Amino acid sequence: MNSIHPVPRGRARHYAGRALGVLLLGLVASCQGASQDAMSVEPPQAAQARRAALSKPRAQETFGSGPVRVGLITALLASAGESQRERDIRDGAVLAVDELGSGQLSLQIENTDGSSEQIQEAAKRLSDQGVRLVAVSADVRTTVAREGVRAKDVPILVLGSTSSQPGEGGFSFISDRIDSAVEGASYAAASGRKRFILLAPADMTAAERHRLDRGLAGYGIKPVLTAGAASVPGDASARAKLKDIDAVVSIGAGEAEVGSLSALRANGHLAANAIVVGSSQWTPASYRLPELARSHLCLFGPENGSRMTASFRQRYERAANLDAAYGFDIVALAAGLVRTQGESGINRQALLSPNGFLGAAAAFRFEKDGSVRRTCAIYQLVDGTLSLADPAPRSF
């Protein structure tokens, strides 16, 4: 089975169509790429896993019997019922411990109702069991789990909507619309675009705006104009400033954004080779809008036909999505660090390796502030559907 393994530090290459300034990768999670034939024989745990997936989860679950324990806290027992997202994360993690644990890992799952009280109690139980890594898929701030985990050197991976600001020694593990827009803009810049307009959605928070500005600046992108999606100026002074715009980054794809794009075109502000970059917020319904045809999207997710996606479908009889890949990569990350650095290899310093990791959800690395960077595939909207233009790079 493949997990995270070291590669020569001197290896560097550019990926087709993507000149993003590739950095050397040290620790790589090679969770993809096995042939379909390798998955043709159903593993003995598959039938049992499918039955378990259909049943109501227990408060505590254990998978694997290895000495290195990884904890996962979910909100699968929420009063409103379990969410598919939580189920996908849990099932991805269970799959990974079976495939990558190699007798070294055990996965301790605490299913809660999502309340701060239950999550803190779950974190305490996991701490008492000596877990080396805790992942929290429930939507809660890192401080809640941190208060329960007594060992301050135990990393916490946060997968909730607040994960963009992990704090307290935590690490974000999900990528959102801001990450998607930044990486998409970097693709446009790498293709030679220089004059950007950014259309910001009305619901963008101050924290998101800070992350967006910082991310664009990291790629040397300084938009000519950043405006609300419905407030692109059309006066004479704006026309000179907006001349020959060759890239429009539109995080949303609603009526305001479509209207602004139409106005930019009608007023002659866009260069002939202008590219429109969207984000992961765009919905399939927006793909069919004629005004958005030929737009480019940076989307995160598992690689179709990879070992992980084939194995997930065979075991759970449904397609693996991004959340399932996140769950898988939690365990893949732990498995690779233990395999290459021993049982004490899971720690903050190892997670902050600038070389990053390669998992089911493409390459990722953690920054010192706990945020995550992740590579993505670039798609173009053709005839209302996504057409792959450039696969996700396997390094930075």
Side-chain angles (χ1 to χ4, degrees):
M1 300 295 180
N2 295 324
S3 62
I4 302 171
H5 60 274
V7 296
R9 295 185 66 86
R11 181 182 302 171
R13 57 180 293 196
H14 289 277
Y15 293 86
R18 204 81 165 268
L20 297 186
V22 178
L23 303 179
L24 299 179
L25 223 70
L27 296 175
V28 180
S30 175
C31 303
Q32 307 181 38
S35 68
Q36 186 71 28
D37 291 342
M39 302 308 303
S40 60
V41 178
E42 183 177 54
Q45 308 99 323
Q48 179 182 356
R50 279 199 297 273
R51 288 194 297 271
L54 293 173
S55 62
K56 184 176 180 178
R58 302 184 303 275
Q60 285 88 35
E61 302 178 282
T62 300
F63 299 89
S65 57
V68 180
R69 296 181 173 89
V70 175
L72 173 62
I73 302 175
T74 80
L76 278 170
L77 299 182
S79 58
E82 69 175 59
S83 72
Q84 188 60 49
R85 176 181 180 275
E86 296 270 3
R87 171 61 72 174
D88 288 336
I89 292 172
R90 179 260 187 202
D91 289 352
V94 171
L95 173 65
V97 78
D98 285 343
E99 296 224 337
L100 307 177
S102 301
Q104 295 178 301
L105 295 184
S106 61
L107 176 65
Q108 315 289 130
I109 300 180
E110 292 277 344
N111 296 311
T112 74
D113 64 3
S115 66
S116 296
E117 293 77 14
Q118 285 203 10
I119 290 172
Q120 190 173 114
E121 287 301 316
K124 289 179 181 178
R125 285 191 293 271
L126 292 173
S127 182
D128 290 342
Q129 295 171 39
V131 296
R132 301 292 183 87
L133 177 71
V134 175
V136 184
S137 62
D139 195 5
V140 66
R141 291 195 174 275
T142 314
T143 50
V144 175
R146 177 55 71 192
E147 289 170 2
V149 179
R150 297 182 179 87
K152 300 305 180 184
D153 59 341
V154 173
I156 298 177
L157 305 182
V158 188
L159 289 85
S161 63
T162 58
S163 68
S164 61
Q165 297 175 290
E168 295 295 325
F171 293 90
S172 299
F173 206 65
I174 64 171
S175 299
D176 61 12
R177 64 181 185 174
I178 301 300
D179 301 305
S180 173
V182 168
E183 297 301 323
S186 76
Y187 176 82
S191 67
R193 272 60 172 191
K194 300 181 183 302
R195 292 179 56 77
F196 284 72
I197 283 181
L198 174 63
L199 301 180
D203 63 348
M204 186 167 68
T205 66
E208 285 183 313
R209 176 62 188 270
H210 175 72
R211 288 174 51 219
L212 180 63
D213 291 343
R214 184 182 63 180
L216 293 176
Y219 284 115
I221 300 171
K222 185 177 181 180
V224 172
L225 174 70
T226 298
S231 59
V232 175
D235 54 29
S237 61
R239 282 197 288 272
K241 185 178 181 180
L242 299 182
K243 183 179 179 182
D244 294 329
I245 296 298
D246 55 12
V248 179
V249 179
S250 180
I251 296 174
E255 291 184 7
E257 288 84 0
V258 171
S260 291
L261 276 172
S262 297
L264 288 169
R265 292 189 179 107
N267 292 328
H269 295 319
L270 301 188
N273 67 337
I275 182 175
V276 175
V277 175
S279 80
S280 57
Q281 181 181 333
W282 288 22
T283 64
S286 68
Y287 299 167
R288 297 188 291 273
L289 296 175
E291 296 88 348
L292 302 181
R294 315 303 296 182
S295 295
H296 289 74
L297 299 175
C298 160
L299 299 180
F300 307 101
E303 183 179 296
N304 289 332
S306 69
R307 178 184 183 83
M308 180 266 169
T309 57
S311 184
F312 190 94
R313 179 179 287 279
Q314 185 172 54
R315 171 171 292 209
Y316 298 113
E317 299 181 332
R318 68 181 191 274
N321 58 15
L322 179 56
D323 291 318
Y326 286 149
F328 190 93
D329 283 351
I330 292 166
V331 175
L333 176 62
L337 290 174
V338 170
R339 189 182 303 269
T340 58
Q341 302 188 37
E343 293 186 5
S344 61
I346 305 174
N347 54 63
R348 179 176 176 83
Q349 182 178 357
L351 265 61
L352 285 173
S353 166
N355 306 304
F357 309 90
L358 178 63
F364 62 95
R365 72 179 181 203
F366 300 109
E367 306 294 342
K368 290 183 179 180
D369 64 356
S371 61
V372 66
R373 276 199 59 203
R374 195 179 304 274
T375 63
C376 59
I378 296 293
Y379 292 86
Q380 188 172 29
L381 298 184
V382 179
D383 297 329
T385 61
L386 295 172
S387 176
L388 181 64
D390 196 358
R394 296 173 69 83
S395 72
F396 290 94

